[in-house]
Amino acid sequence: MAANPLMRIVVAAGALWGLLAPLNPLLAAAGHQGGAFDSGPVRSSEDAVRVTVEPAATRVAPGADLPVAIVLDFRPTWHAWSDDRALPASVARFDGAIHTSVHVATGSFAAGALRATAAPSPIRPGMPSPDGTAAALVQWPDYSTIEADVGEGKKPYAVFSGQTVIYLPLVVAADAPAGSATLSGYVQLQACDDSTCVAPADIPFTVTVTVEPGATMGAPGARFASFDPAIFAAIHAGKPGATAVRFDIFGRTFEIDPTGAGFFALLLVAALGGSLLNFTPCVLPVIPLKILSISRAAGHPRRCLQLGLALSAGVVLFWLALGAAMSLISGFTSANQLFQYPLFTIGVGVVIAVMALGMCGAFNIVLPQRVYMVETKQDTLPGAVGFGVMTAVLSTPCTAPLMGAAAAWAVTESPATVLSVFGSIGAGMALPYLILSAKPSLVERVPRSGPASDALKTTMGLLLLAAAAYFVGSGLSGAMVTAPDPPSTAYWWVVAACAIGAGAYMFARTMALAKSIRARVILGAASALIVAISVGVGVRMTDKGPIPWTYYTPERFAEALARGDAVMLDFTAEWCLNCKTLEKTVLESSPVVARIAKGGVVPMKVDITGSNDPGRAKLKEAGRVTIPFLVVYAPSGTPTLESDLYTPTQVVEAIDKAIGER
């Protein structure tokens, strides 16, 4: 492909086609399979390549392994972008291209004689894509490279050309009935010659064999000389195509191979990520409540340990239930998806409000016994389990370092793997409270009874009421917003008012109960600090901030890149406290604000608080299922930063790099 001013337009159009391709009927052009080349001009990719399939045998027994060769024969001078594999630094990557891929009908995962295995991706067996297909696990051939200029200077790119053979490993169902069996699929590719790229195409194919008990395949023919049958062992072991899981913390990255002993290392990392959840803004407000709960039983070590075990069990049970839901419910791939439903967010707020009123003693007067069980002043095992569940629920809007990558990988794997990883996250989150309950001397100085204890509990209850106001407010905000408009932030003043009330109550009770001047000074200063922070939160969370945000639409994003601007794309939501924290402390820091003010970059926010399907589609396109997440794009569409935990320096350097690539 030589330099061509239309090249990038054609390739960009191909990328748009790729997003719309799921709307195409799977077998819209079945007549092309195995046909001869048309001698006319090449108007689309299906004119440039012929696709045929050759199974290793046409008569197979139930339960047999069946390799299938998918043969791509290209016209002379024509080629297609290679598959979307990791490339060495010496080979350029153009992300706007349609990479070659093989898709099969997902019905073959659940029923039918021939079954394919899904490639590692957010699409897994039992979870169909919009067109009812999934990317298949295949063995790719080597690629060749060509020198091309697609608007970024002449660089080597990976392509398939000539005759390319892709191997699709199929498994015949053990209970397959005798007779004909068929699997349908298509090859998606975009063809180019040395001057231009043509429109991409989905070129369909079918694999048809006869199932016959007792049939023997014999040795595959010469066509399968390059096929590695070891892939079937991985498929039957439930670990096909396992890839390393990549973790990124403040720009420092490492990978873990999730096979063998590496899987146990991954579980340890997931547990560490779960423990870090306790330090996120979502969970931090309830830590004093758990300490209070443990301290009340500190004088009875055995009872204290029982309550700690019950609380820990509640945390782990919730994460296991969440993992089971992700394994069984199609389309459910991340914990914070729950908060994309305003009624769920509001419901969580209501439950927290009930707990807060219990802390303040309201249950002693008006509420029935069944609700009284969750009141945190009652040291009951059911109450401890329920408190553990609620703590875990509170953590779901946030993503801690390490756990996000582990969870995102797990949901593409088998149910057993999902439960193992999510159980490890829950165990890591519960571990600090289990340690406190096993060693109650760590909290022995917390008042356990009397007026001082009641005052502390009521103060904590008012702070918990502020958390309830946050969830109810963000839920109402999500219910009333229309994308891409920003959601209302007025509810933050209700949150602040509850917290201010907690500080004022603490100050009044301190002055009434404290006997020493030292206690009055320390607790009075703490009360004043709570009030000051609460006022600051109300002001900070309701102002527009120093960044002139543009709210995401696909058109605005494309227009910014077309102008030659870089784009700083921030994925956020009103219910995501981690997102708010990163925005206020990192993105609105002086270095980042100053760099944005210099120009050349468009700060764009993808707010998925309410019904924002384009925003969620963009998050999925970026390869993530959780937020917070920040991506800085160069004008070419190439990311220079993709991270859920970053520093101002990283953001500034990514913007400079993106603008430099222009």
Side-chain angles (χ1 to χ4, degrees):
M1 294 181 290
N4 187 320
L6 296 178
M7 176 68 70
R8 291 177 62 81
I9 297 175
V10 173
V11 173
L16 177 60
W17 175 91
L19 294 176
L20 299 177
L23 302 178
N24 299 335
L26 178 62
L27 301 177
H32 286 275
Q33 176 174 319
F37 281 125
D38 190 328
S39 59
V42 176
R43 294 187 175 89
S44 71
S45 294
E46 56 193 338
D47 297 327
V49 61
R50 181 177 67 242
V51 175
T52 55
V53 294
E54 298 180 22
T58 56
R59 307 180 76 82
V60 293
D65 296 332
L66 177 66
V68 173
I70 302 175
V71 184
L72 312 183
D73 285 300
F74 289 88
R75 272 187 170 184
T77 75
W78 286 87
H79 44 258
W81 301 95
S82 71
D83 61 295
D84 192 15
R85 73 182 74 182
L87 296 170
S90 58
V91 180
R93 178 184 179 89
F94 185 63
D95 291 323
I98 297 294
H99 295 278
T100 302
S101 58
V102 176
H103 300 254
V104 293
T106 54
S108 61
F109 292 131
L114 295 179
R115 298 180 181 176
T117 300
S121 74
I123 299 174
R124 63 181 187 271
M127 182 190 294
S129 64
D131 66 340
T133 66
L137 179 71
V138 299
Q139 285 186 2
W140 293 102
D142 291 336
Y143 57 82
S144 58
T145 58
I146 60 165
E147 291 286 333
D149 183 353
V150 294
E152 302 174 350
K154 208 163 189 179
K155 297 180 180 180
Y157 290 91
V159 299
F160 293 142
S161 60
Q163 185 176 85
T164 298
V165 181
I166 304 166
Y167 296 112
L168 172 64
L170 300 183
V171 177
V172 185
D175 58 353
S180 180
T182 300
L183 180 137
S184 301
Y186 63 88
V187 178
Q188 184 180 99
L189 55 79
Q190 183 176 30
C192 309
D193 64 5
D194 60 356
S195 62
T196 189
C197 290
V198 293
D202 289 350
I203 304 177
F205 63 82
T206 58
V207 180
T208 302
V209 297
T210 300
V211 179
E212 181 180 297
T216 56
M217 290 178 51
R223 176 70 78 189
F224 295 87
S226 300
F227 176 71
D228 182 3
I231 193 170
F232 285 115
I235 290 173
H236 294 305
K239 298 180 179 180
T243 55
V245 183
R246 184 174 182 271
F247 298 88
D248 186 335
I249 301 180
F250 295 124
R252 296 186 179 276
T253 63
F254 65 94
E255 293 184 345
I256 294 178
D257 183 348
T259 58
F263 181 67
F264 295 98
L266 182 72
L267 295 182
L268 290 175
V269 171
L272 178 58
S275 66
L276 293 176
L277 271 175
N278 293 296
F279 301 97
T280 64
C282 302
V283 183
L284 207 56
V286 298
I287 288 180
L289 304 183
K290 284 184 271 190
I291 293 176
L292 280 173
S293 177
I294 294 171
S295 70
R296 285 195 299 272
H300 307 279
R302 183 177 178 182
R303 182 62 175 171
C304 187
L305 181 59
Q306 288 176 338
L307 292 173
L309 287 170
L311 189 152
S312 301
V315 174
V316 175
L317 284 173
F318 172 81
W319 280 99
L320 286 173
L322 194 61
M326 291 185 186
S327 299
L328 299 174
I329 300 175
S330 176
F332 184 34
T333 56
S334 69
N336 61 32
Q337 271 184 263
L338 296 169
F339 289 88
Q340 295 173 16
Y341 301 97
L343 285 179
F344 178 84
T345 309
I346 294 170
V348 170
V350 170
V351 174
I352 295 173
V354 171
M355 294 179 64
L357 293 173
M359 289 290 294
C360 297
F363 289 176
N364 293 333
I365 302 172
V366 295
L367 295 182
Q369 183 67 27
R370 182 169 296 181
V371 178
Y372 191 78
M373 285 293 293
V374 302
E375 198 266 295
T376 54
K377 288 166 65 177
Q378 299 301 305
D379 298 326
T380 65
L381 294 180
V385 172
F387 196 29
V389 170
M390 179 51 58
T391 301
V393 170
L394 286 176
S395 72
T396 52
C398 290
T399 300
L402 303 176
M403 66 148 285
W409 170 81
V411 297
T412 69
E413 301 298 313
S414 67
T417 299
V418 176
L419 291 176
S420 298
V421 172
F422 277 68
S424 297
I425 292 172
M429 185 179 181
L431 184 61
Y433 312 109
L434 189 58
I435 293 174
L436 284 177
S437 62
K439 196 171 179 59
S441 60
L442 296 173
V443 294
E444 62 184 5
R445 300 191 64 176
V446 177
R448 302 174 191 172
S449 61
S453 175
D454 290 339
L456 184 57
K457 294 169 188 174
T458 301
T459 300
M460 293 296 103
L462 290 172
L463 289 175
L464 194 60
L465 195 62
Y470 162 73
F471 281 103
V472 172
S474 61
L476 291 173
S477 182
M480 295 185 293
V481 70
T482 300
D485 297 335
S488 171
T489 58
Y491 69 90
W492 276 104
W493 282 114
V494 180
V495 177
C498 293
I500 290 170
Y505 175 85
M506 181 177 174
F507 181 82
R509 296 300 291 162
T510 295
M511 295 302 108
L513 297 174
K515 303 301 182 182
S516 68
I517 295 178
R518 180 172 178 271
R520 289 190 175 194
V521 170
I522 293 175
L523 295 176
S527 304
L529 184 61
I530 291 174
V531 171
I533 291 176
S534 302
V535 173
V537 166
V539 172
R540 192 76 189 274
M541 291 300 185
T542 54
D543 68 14
K544 292 184 178 180
I547 298 178
W549 291 105
T550 297
Y551 282 81
Y552 171 84
T553 66
E555 295 77 16
R556 291 172 182 172
F557 180 76
E559 288 170 3
L561 296 184
R563 287 195 306 268
D565 289 329
V567 175
M568 183 180 77
L569 201 61
D570 179 32
F571 293 90
T572 184
E574 278 300 305
W575 40 261
C576 177
L577 282 174
N578 271 17
C579 304
K580 297 292 183 184
T581 302
L582 283 170
E583 180 181 329
K584 296 300 180 182
T585 60
V586 178
L587 298 183
E588 293 186 5
S589 64
S590 297
V592 177
V593 171
R595 183 60 195 84
I596 292 172
K598 289 173 63 177
V601 59
V602 175
M604 192 171 291
K605 188 176 290 189
V606 185
D607 196 309
I608 60 173
T609 299
S611 179
N612 188 350
D613 291 336
R616 284 192 282 273
K618 188 64 178 177
L619 179 63
K620 182 179 178 181
E621 180 188 322
R624 292 296 293 242
V625 295
T626 60
I627 58 174
F629 190 51
L630 184 77
V631 187
V632 178
Y633 291 94
S636 65
T638 303
T640 58
L641 174 66
E642 297 175 280
S643 180
D644 57 6
L645 191 63
Y646 41 84
T647 65
T649 300
Q650 280 183 281
V651 176
V652 171
E653 290 177 350
I655 293 173
D656 287 338
K657 181 179 179 182
I659 294 175
E661 289 188 5
R662 177 176 59 181

